[in-house]
Amino acid sequence: MAGRKNSNNEIQDQLDPYYIHPSENPAIVCVTPALSGENYHAWSMKMGRVLAMKNKFQFVDGTIEVPNCNNLNYVAWQRCKILGRFMRGDKIHVAQLYQEISNLKKGSKKISDYFTELRRLWEELDQYRPMPNCTCHVTCACLAVRNSGSFRAEDRIIQFLIGLNEEFHGVVS
């Protein structure tokens, strides 16, 4: 029975976002190739998966709030807070993504290839401009978050339609 209790404690420890496995250290390379200005999207997707697998993504997305300095977790939070720098985006790159989305046209591509390219750009943009989450402590009654999601979906439908060729004019109108 005692062995089983230790096993449950180990599992519980590993589920704690402050837990750091003994084999982990800051010198380990988790994602290759290293981050550069050109590979942010691919790198951030890989880094997000790594952080999620290590149960550390909550430090990046802000789910874990800063503990009070008297809280025993404060030191652990400080050690992990540096992860937040991985998800910050470059405003110039955001502008370039908007321009690429605006300039993308179906042209001679198959409609599925056109949509896939557009969706790839949208997903990259979502890394820089994620949808806001409601953080109210009670059930939120306002429609702000829901409306922002609807507006984003409508914008994307319009972007898709605008990029279609003249042969789709009937569909667009």
Side-chain angles (χ1 to χ4, degrees), residues 7 15 20 71 83 86 89 92 105 118 146 153 155 167:
S7 176
L15 294 175
I20 296 178
N71 186 313
L83 299 175
F86 295 127
I92 299 299
K105 304 293 181 212
L118 198 51
R146 192 174 328 149
D155 290 347
E167 65 193 82

Side-chain angles (χ1 to χ4, degrees), residues 3-173:
R4 178 175 272 185
K5 186 173 182 181
N6 286 341
S7 176
N8 286 341
N9 285 344
E10 281 180 32
I11 291 170
Q12 195 132 17
D13 284 346
Q14 292 175 10
L15 294 175
D16 184 345
Y18 292 107
Y19 173 78
I20 296 178
H21 191 273
S23 68
E24 294 181 288
N25 73 62
I28 292 176
V29 175
C30 298
V31 175
T32 56
L35 174 63
S36 71
E38 302 299 314
N39 71 346
Y40 176 81
H41 178 66
W43 178 89
S44 69
M45 298 293 281
K46 290 177 186 177
M47 182 57 80
R49 283 193 295 268
V50 168
L51 293 173
M53 289 172 43
K54 294 177 180 289
N55 199 22
K56 301 292 185 256
F57 195 76
Q58 297 110 326
F59 292 99
V60 174
D61 72 3
T63 304
I64 296 180
E65 295 182 12
V66 181
N68 183 303
C69 62
N70 298 327
N71 186 313
L72 293 175
N73 285 330
Y74 183 73
V75 173
W77 180 87
Q78 280 187 310
R79 184 178 62 227
C80 294
K81 77 176 181 177
I82 194 167
L83 299 175
R85 69 186 168 93
F86 295 127
M87 294 303 281
R88 292 204 172 87
D90 175 14
K91 293 180 190 318
I92 299 299
H93 189 65
V94 168
Q96 290 169 341
L97 285 170
Y98 278 119
Q99 186 173 24
E100 280 185 68
I101 290 167
S102 296
N103 293 338
L104 186 64
K105 304 293 181 212
K106 180 191 170 295
S108 62
K109 297 187 235 28
K110 293 191 303 187
I111 196 109
S112 59
D113 293 338
Y114 163 63
F115 179 72
T116 300
E117 178 64 14
L118 198 51
R119 189 175 64 198
R120 183 193 65 75
L121 291 168
W122 289 334
E123 287 173 359
E124 186 172 354
L125 185 60
D126 288 345
Q127 294 295 311
Y128 291 98
R129 297 279 195 256
M131 287 298 297
N133 291 318
C134 178
T135 57
C136 298
H137 294 290
V138 295
T139 303
C140 188
C142 75
L143 298 176
V145 173
R146 192 174 328 149
N147 283 347
S148 62
S150 296
F151 293 154
R152 180 174 280 180
E154 288 174 8
D155 290 347
R156 290 182 175 178
I157 291 168
I158 292 167
Q159 290 165 345
F160 173 79
L161 293 173
I162 287 173
L164 293 174
N165 299 346
E166 285 296 317
E167 65 193 82
F168 293 98
H169 180 70
V171 175
V172 172
S173 60

